[in-house]
Amino acid sequence: LKGLEYAQRFNREGNLLARKMAEEVIALDPNYPRGYRLLATTHWIDVRVGESKSPKESLAKAVQLYQKVLAMDPSDSVARALLGFVFTLMRQYEKGMAEVEQAVAINPNVADTQIAYGFILHFNGRHKEAIEAIKKAIRLNPLPPDTYWHGLGQAYCNVGMYEEAIVA
């Protein structure tokens, strides 16, 4: 949980701390899927914060690790949703949507699954649907990371709801 908190800072320092914690968790228990899920997350965050020397390789590593998590625990809706998000970053939009839709079907009441769904809908130009998914994520996690609000603001802008975007 502490590692996830570091990762959700979406900066270089937080991501380095999250990766260190993920590696420690994996060393302690190599059969614990959430350690690999956190490690996968740090790889795509490297791309987002400009720390990756090879974004293509970082995203491929994230895919590999999320798939490992799903092999260990097929019911991990967050890993499946994040796998969909990474496919979307890789411009594999249909694969991304398929993964996130499956994640939502597995567990529609997980905020991190809903926010990934909202972001993927947004990236696919389905902004009104994205707004609803992001609002649901915020209801499920009333103290969400800033990225939830940022995503909501972007989706509102894309449908011309500028006052709502400013509030978000």
Side-chain angles (χ1 to χ4, degrees), residues 19-68:
R19 178 167 290 141
K20 182 177 185 274
M21 294 188 97
E23 290 168 348
E24 289 173 5
V25 166
I26 291 167
L28 287 170
D29 185 354
N31 296 313
Y32 183 60
R34 287 191 178 184
Y36 296 101
R37 186 172 81 189
L38 179 59
L39 185 59
T41 300
T42 67
H43 283 283
W44 69 258
I45 290 175
D46 274 346
V47 174
R48 181 170 178 203
V49 299
E51 286 297 311
S52 175
K53 292 182 174 109
S54 173
K56 194 174 198 176
E57 287 178 25
S58 294
L59 294 175
K61 184 66 175 174
V63 167
Q64 176 190 20
L65 288 164
Y66 285 133
Q67 288 173 334
K68 179 178 181 122

Side-chain angles (χ1 to χ4, degrees), residues 8-22:
Q8 288 178 337
R9 292 179 184 175
F10 294 103
N11 63 36
R12 180 182 186 276
E13 297 77 22
N15 203 45
L16 288 171
L17 288 168
R19 178 167 290 141
K20 182 177 185 274
M21 294 188 97

Side-chain angles (χ1 to χ4, degrees), residues 8 10 111-112 115 134-150 152 168:
Q8 288 178 337
F10 294 103
D112 289 340
I115 195 65
I134 295 168
K135 286 167 63 175
K136 182 172 183 178
I138 292 168
R139 281 193 308 274
L140 292 168
N141 181 356
L143 296 172
D146 294 343
T147 55
Y148 284 40
W149 296 106
H150 182 175
L152 183 59

